[in-house]
Amino acid sequence: MKCRVIAVLGTRPEAIKLALVIDELRRRSDEFETAVVHTGQHRTMLDHALKLFKIKPDFDLDVMRPNQTLSSLTGRVLDTVENACHRFEPNIVLVQGDTTTAFASALAAYYCKIAVGHIEAGLRSWDIYNPFPEEANRRLVSVMTEIHFAPTALSRDNLIAEGIPSAKIVVTGNTVVDTLRALSKLPHSWENTPLADIPQDNCRLVLVTSHRRESWGSDKENMCLALKDLVRKHKDIRVIYPVHMNPNVRSTVNALLQDTERIHLTEPLGYLDFVSLLQRSFLVLTDSGGIQEEAPTFRKPVLVLRKVTERPEASQFGMARIIGMSREGIVSEADRLLTDTEAYLDMSEGENPYGDGHGSERIVEAVSRWFRKKTPLLEADKEFKLPPRPQLRRRKTDVEVGARAAAVGKE
Ligand code: UD1
Ligand code: UDP
């Protein structure tokens, strides 16, 4: 008998992070009958990803409304996913991350008494309003979950501290690294993309994204003012900011940054365009979960535009810093990396601590073993292990520093 699996996605990061899990389930079609449910929480922002990964949803639930509220969205996802569960009758429903789609789909499965597999389980900031509502969403999902796919040892430990039996947890590595590894080597050009108009000069590129609900309003305004300060001060940088489609983000960003010299606001980028931009960037300023996890693959220093993060591994490795949202803080931290080569190089060393490119295989293998009632869900030596921390840096000679600095951004 085949294991019947529903994989639910609804937003851009879910599509990107589930792409190779769905691929692997379909590759093992002798064992799995798979249905993809697209809630449609994001109607357009993940279209590129669906096309790129050739994902054709089996159920398209079309729940998005302009400027939707959390409650109404939750209600629509709950209703429609429950209906999909009745129609497909899965053995397990896989949800990813901390969105309303993930939370409400887990709840719908639980109400139908269907097992939930939670991918990217166990991330915690320990503050339910930061990020809002994601921290509560992921904790609520944990309560209803049968298999917890923790990306790292730290996320596993968070779950164990909450009383979840270790036999139900598998340390997989984050699947975003699988996707990045699979795609980042494809040839890519900026021609005919929203990046085509950006002058190809000697300016260093500073990549910015920011969309979190807890920073709407004055925090977002501060961030915009800080970006203006930075381009005024550093004539050799360009800020590239692909702006999220949420109207609450767009209104502030457009009002404060449109038509500012060397600040380029673009539409959301297709995944290949985005990854290519990330590779060519000098520095990343972001509040995105996924981008915090991706940047270390290319050794790009990340300044995290948040007060706390549930993904502390990169800062523990010295590859990211949590800098908050004050105008002065953003300017001074970015300034340091734009002017102090040693400080910059300190943050651009090491392996990605979030994953090794095999997360999706581990997840699918564990689901297979769970279905066949095998224990453990995955043998300990097959789980994801953190790479070694970057060595504490000796002071580099001027020649070494100069050579690396010249190479940065041209890789
Ligand atoms: C959502 C997730 C957030 C995730 C982010 C990824 C929740 C509560 N929030 O935030 O965790 O980090 O996605 O990007 O689940 N819109 C469009 N077209 C789109 C997508 C959005 O027009 O393709 C606009 C609509 O007006 C929509 C609004 O953005 O109502 C908000 O979308 P929503 O999914 O509720 O929140 P996000 O801010 O996108
Ligand atoms: N991303 C993209 N185009 C963009 C901005 C981001 O494809 O213009 C990708 C990015 O590479 C990452 C994911 O979208 O994989 C992150 O999505 P987002 O920041 O919207 O959500 P979060 O990760 O914060 O939940």
Side-chain angles (χ1 to χ4, degrees), residues 329-381:
I330 296 170
V331 172
S332 75
E333 290 290 341
D335 232 10
R336 203 166 61 84
L337 295 181
L338 288 165
T339 51
D340 179 345
T341 309
E342 284 253 350
Y344 181 87
L345 293 178
D346 268 341
M347 288 185 71
S348 45
E349 293 194 3
E351 299 300 313
N352 191 323
Y354 296 106
D356 62 358
H358 299 287
S360 309
E361 293 155 30
R362 293 185 181 102
I363 289 166
V364 174
E365 176 61 15
V367 175
S368 163
R369 290 175 66 85
W370 166 83
F371 186 65
R372 291 181 283 129
K373 300 195 170 25
K374 296 231 163 138
T375 56
L377 289 172
L378 197 68
E379 275 131 30
D381 64 344

Side-chain angles (χ1 to χ4, degrees), residues 11-13 41-46 64-68 70 73 98-101 132-134 137 211-213 216 244-247 249:
T11 65
R12 173 170 68 190
Q41 175 176 340
H42 282 177
R43 196 54 277 169
T44 49
M45 259 176 39
L46 76 175
M64 196 194 94
R65 302 288 178 274
N67 207 6
Q68 58 207 1
L70 294 174
L73 174 64
D98 51 20
T99 63
T100 296
T101 285
F132 171 82
E134 290 82 4
N137 280 351
H211 69 278
R212 305 237 79 86
R213 276 181 159 70
W216 291 351
H244 194 282
M245 289 187 82
N246 194 313
V249 175

